[in-house]
Amino acid sequence: MPRAIIIMAKVPRPGTVKTRLEGVISSEACAELATAFLKDTVEKALRVCENTIIAFFPPTEKAAMTEVAPEHVRLFAQIGETLDERIVSAFQFAFSEGADSAVMIGTDSPTFPADHIEQAFEFLELETDVVLGKTTDGGFYLIGLRGLDARVFNNVRWSTSRTFEDVYRNVMARGLHLREVPSWYDVDEPKDLEELFNELRHNANALRRAPETARILRV
């Protein structure tokens, strides 16, 4: 069954990425960290599926994204004014290119195991319609689909503690079969950055999963 991994990513420019960390590190350092997150996420995805797509935003910054993306990863410019529109556009692209199942991940959780992606695909290939991986702050770091129903993303309170809850509710309302992979944490706030540093420092598996991030943080 053809698979696709979609990585949703902002182009790592100073002042536009990881801005909630600017109280503890500079905007330039935030961009370096976001670049490291992206590189580690791409390498993790490629270990599971060669058909990996970076869905980047803003769409006018393709040249900048090309500078940091591996040559063999396809780039797709997100389409839409709102996040739900951009998510739907990325899934539409993956399915239009022949994928039977697609798993979308972000770049804010660089240390989650690649096994979680593999497990999501296994669920989808066993007749599950939707797979979710919840973040500890109430969002999600992974969503997998066996087919696109855009209504799954209707009226979602994005970037809040209710994001996962809203998507979950939509999935249930559509009568879709849902399964979950283990939860993980996003790195958005200074406390999350501290958690990441400690994980990399004390967990050899995490260090192997996010070597670029560890290099930038000088772990």
Side-chain angles (χ1 to χ4, degrees):
M1 177 177 288
R3 299 173 168 184
I5 296 176
I6 305 163
I7 299 172
M8 296 288 281
K10 287 184 179 179
V11 176
R13 295 282 199 189
T16 66
V17 289
K18 313 313 302 172
T19 54
R20 282 180 275 177
L21 298 178
E22 290 182 4
V24 293
I25 59 177
S26 69
S27 60
E28 290 77 13
C30 287
E32 290 179 1
L33 190 63
T35 300
F37 284 8
L38 175 61
K39 289 180 177 179
D40 286 333
T41 301
V42 169
E43 289 305 310
K44 173 165 45 191
L46 288 172
R47 288 197 293 272
V48 178
C49 178
E50 290 185 2
N51 183 23
T52 293
I53 302 159
I54 297 177
F56 66 92
F57 185 83
T60 55
E61 295 278 356
K62 184 175 182 178
M65 183 57 81
T66 301
E67 293 178 6
V68 297
E71 291 183 6
H72 51 289
V73 174
R74 289 191 293 169
L75 298 180
F76 170 76
Q78 297 177 28
I79 300 169
E81 296 297 321
T82 61
L83 181 55
D84 56 300
E85 290 174 347
R86 298 197 295 269
I87 288 174
V88 168
S89 74
F91 273 119
Q92 285 175 332
F93 175 76
F95 287 121
S96 71
E97 292 288 298
D100 291 327
S101 58
V103 172
M104 177 179 286
I105 58 177
T107 61
D108 290 339
S109 304
T111 60
F112 83 82
D115 288 350
H116 293 189
I117 305 174
E118 181 63 47
Q119 184 181 38
F121 277 122
E122 290 175 0
F123 286 155
L124 294 170
E125 290 160 11
L126 292 171
E127 305 305 313
T128 298
D129 298 306
V130 181
V131 180
L132 284 171
K134 187 176 184 178
T135 54
T136 54
D137 62 1
F140 60 86
Y141 70 93
L142 177 152
I143 181 167
L145 300 179
R146 193 157 57 92
L148 178 59
D149 185 339
R151 289 169 292 186
V152 166
F153 304 105
N154 285 352
N155 301 314
V156 174
R157 289 166 285 187
W158 299 106
S159 302
T160 72
S161 61
R162 301 297 181 87
T163 300
F164 178 92
E165 174 187 324
D166 290 346
V167 173
Y168 187 98
R169 181 199 64 233
N170 287 343
V171 171
M172 294 296 101
R174 302 307 309 154
L176 301 173
H177 182 206
L178 180 145
R179 298 188 70 172
E180 295 183 44
V181 294
S183 62
W184 210 256
Y185 70 99
D186 271 349
V187 180
D188 292 318
E189 307 284 351
K191 62 179 177 58
D192 306 324
L193 186 61
E194 183 178 0
E195 181 176 359
L196 174 64
F197 183 85
N198 289 330
E199 184 188 14
L200 291 170
R201 187 176 182 183
H202 299 294
N203 186 323
N205 289 327
L207 196 62
R208 283 190 288 270
R209 291 193 291 262
E212 270 301 304
T213 299
R215 185 183 67 81
I216 291 296
L217 293 178
R218 300 179 183 178
V219 175

